[in-house]
Amino acid sequence: MASITFKGNSVTLLGNEVKAGEKAPNFKVLANDLSEVTLDDTKGQVRLISVVPSIDTGVCDAQTRRFNEEASKLGDVKILTVSVDLPFAQKRWCAAAGIENVQTVSDHRDLSFGEAYGVAIKELRLLARAVFVVDSNDTVTYAEYVSEATDHPNYEAAIEAVKQAK
């Protein structure tokens, strides 16, 4: 299991750690219009899944903006940003930030994604910062669990993993 801290304090992650080479677990989250979104909805595409504790914080904001900028350079790649923020808050944030290339989805209802990917923080009911790349055959080709949840992920490694997964 991945070991992470949040603001320097150890936290407990629920679920199982996902590793490169494994089949990507399915999940059920909510889009900004409250419709359900699953991994299967993007079957056959390369996916970059960016996981953030809360879209309304500085590092999460920067992470989502960075992947939004990279999306146009990556071509036909589906980029999801997953958090436990309410879908309404995600929609408002995306409109204010001009986010058009990343789909924000909410895991607030039942932590389906958080538990499937081992990123649900038990003590805070937030998601740990992580990045996953899933190829068109539903295989995880890249998994990064950021050891300190308030730090940035390795953007370059994630982007390179997307390019390799195509």
Side-chain angles (χ1 to χ4, degrees), residues 17-79:
E17 182 176 356
V18 174
K19 297 180 176 155
E22 296 178 352
K23 180 169 174 42
N26 205 1
F27 54 83
K28 192 181 295 181
V29 293
L30 297 176
N32 294 169
D33 65 1
L34 301 180
S35 63
E36 291 184 345
V37 175
T38 67
L39 181 72
D40 289 343
D41 291 337
T42 56
K43 201 168 224 24
Q45 288 183 278
V46 173
R47 288 138 293 180
L48 184 148
I49 304 172
S50 173
V51 188
V52 299
S54 176
I55 201 85
D56 280 320
T57 61
V59 177
C60 301
D61 176 293
Q63 180 174 332
T64 305
R65 288 176 190 266
R66 172 72 185 268
F67 287 129
N68 185 65
E69 290 170 17
E70 295 292 339
S72 61
K73 301 174 201 166
L74 295 173
D76 187 29
V77 173
K78 180 69 172 178
I79 301 179

Side-chain angles (χ1 to χ4, degrees), residues 64-135:
T64 305
R65 288 176 190 266
R66 172 72 185 268
F67 287 129
N68 185 65
E69 290 170 17
E70 295 292 339
S72 61
K73 301 174 201 166
L74 295 173
D76 187 29
V77 173
K78 180 69 172 178
I79 301 179
L80 297 174
T81 292
V82 185
S83 74
V84 293
D85 295 302
L86 293 174
F88 315 111
Q90 291 177 338
K91 183 177 182 178
R92 174 197 46 77
W93 182 87
C94 287
I99 301 299
E100 297 176 353
N101 302 318
V102 168
Q103 180 181 8
T104 55
V105 292
S106 176
D107 200 22
H108 86 94
R109 185 171 59 185
D110 57 14
L111 295 177
S112 169
F113 180 90
E115 291 181 3
Y117 284 74
V119 293
I121 301 174
K122 179 180 177 182
E123 295 84 352
L124 301 172
R125 203 174 194 289
L126 294 174
L127 301 181
R129 186 173 317 283
V131 179
F132 303 95
V133 175
V134 179
D135 71 13

Side-chain angles (χ1 to χ4, degrees), residues 3-28:
S3 175
I4 71 151
T5 57
F6 188 91
K7 295 185 178 179
N9 299 307
S10 292
V11 293
T12 307
L13 296 180
L14 303 174
N16 297 311
E17 182 176 356
V18 174
K19 297 180 176 155
E22 296 178 352
K23 180 169 174 42
N26 205 1
F27 54 83
K28 192 181 295 181

